[in-house]
Amino acid sequence: LINHEGNLLLILNNITRSEEFIEIYKESRNYLESIISNISSGILVLDTELRITSLNKVQEQLFNITGLQINLIDAIGFSLPELIQDKFPGELIKTITTVLNTGKNEEIPELKVQNIIFKVNISPLRDSAGNVKGIIQVMEKITKEKELEKKVIDSEKLAIIGSMIVTVNHQI
């Protein structure tokens, strides 16, 4: 469309809309990146070849405490099986591969790496058509929780033994 001054209004309108969409996209992306970086769990995203496409700062820290000295930038594009081969049990890659093949969520309730215990949830990353395009792994360090759980169980066992001793002493 041309206005009475001979300017192209339609093209300018389309350019303005495109700039608005780009701005909305950037804001949405920044918002999502902020959410992922502030989650207290480690987030790791893999493609179908098990190459790292994204991870948050917490996941970087979890890798570091297990002896894997890798940073956010160096990790991108790296093969997860090669990265963790000597540090993590084979169960992790096996479960990730299962999720890729079945498209179903899996959980590893206790993954022990050295003296550290993790809970790992693995989910397929799907495109808009529902096809599996990668993996999302959520990892939490649960060592302290497991230690407390063990102390409670040990305390309960001691209470039972104490009760048995009292009963035996009482019968003697």
Side-chain angles (χ1 to χ4, degrees), residues 64-79:
N64 288 339
I65 64 172
T66 62
L68 293 172
Q69 300 303 315
I70 191 156
N71 63 46
L72 295 165
I73 295 171
D74 292 340
I76 304 303
F78 210 92
S79 166

Side-chain angles (χ1 to χ4, degrees), residues 43-48 50-51 53-54 80 95-101 103-104 121-126 132-138:
I43 307 287
L44 178 69
V45 182
L46 306 170
D47 64 15
T48 56
L50 303 186
R51 289 184 305 259
T53 60
S54 183
L80 184 65
T95 306
I96 289 171
T97 304
T98 299
V99 171
L100 270 177
N101 293 332
K104 296 180 181 177
N121 288 293
I122 303 165
S123 302
L125 176 63
R126 298 181 185 277
V132 176
K133 292 296 181 183
I135 292 292
I136 302 170
Q137 172 191 289
V138 179

Side-chain angles (χ1 to χ4, degrees), residues 54-171:
S54 183
L55 72 154
N56 68 354
K57 191 74 173 166
V58 175
Q59 184 62 54
E60 178 186 352
Q61 293 167 351
L62 293 176
F63 278 155
N64 288 339
I65 64 172
T66 62
L68 293 172
Q69 300 303 315
I70 191 156
N71 63 46
L72 295 165
I73 295 171
D74 292 340
I76 304 303
F78 210 92
S79 166
L80 184 65
E82 290 176 23
L83 178 67
I84 68 171
Q85 66 185 349
D86 297 332
K87 301 286 184 185
F88 281 72
E91 177 185 8
L92 180 60
I93 295 301
K94 181 181 173 193
T95 306
I96 289 171
T97 304
T98 299
V99 171
L100 270 177
N101 293 332
T102 65
K104 296 180 181 177
N105 297 347
E106 293 282 338
E107 180 181 286
I108 304 173
E110 290 185 36
L111 181 72
K112 192 167 185 180
V113 181
Q114 299 163 6
N115 293 326
I116 304 164
I117 303 171
F118 298 101
K119 177 181 173 186
V120 184
N121 288 293
I122 303 165
S123 302
L125 176 63
R126 298 181 185 277
D127 63 15
S128 58
N131 300 313
V132 176
K133 292 296 181 183
I135 292 292
I136 302 170
Q137 172 191 289
V138 179
M139 182 180 279
E140 296 176 70
K141 183 179 167 196
I142 59 167
T143 306
K144 287 182 183 175
E145 290 86 343
K146 289 297 173 184
E147 288 172 354
L148 288 173
E149 194 176 287
K150 185 180 180 324
K151 285 181 182 180
V152 168
I153 291 170
D154 290 347
S155 295
E156 290 172 351
K157 286 179 183 176
L158 288 174
I160 291 170
I161 291 170
S163 176
M164 290 171 60
I165 291 172
V166 168
T167 302
V168 169
N169 279 342
H170 201 14
Q171 289 179 355

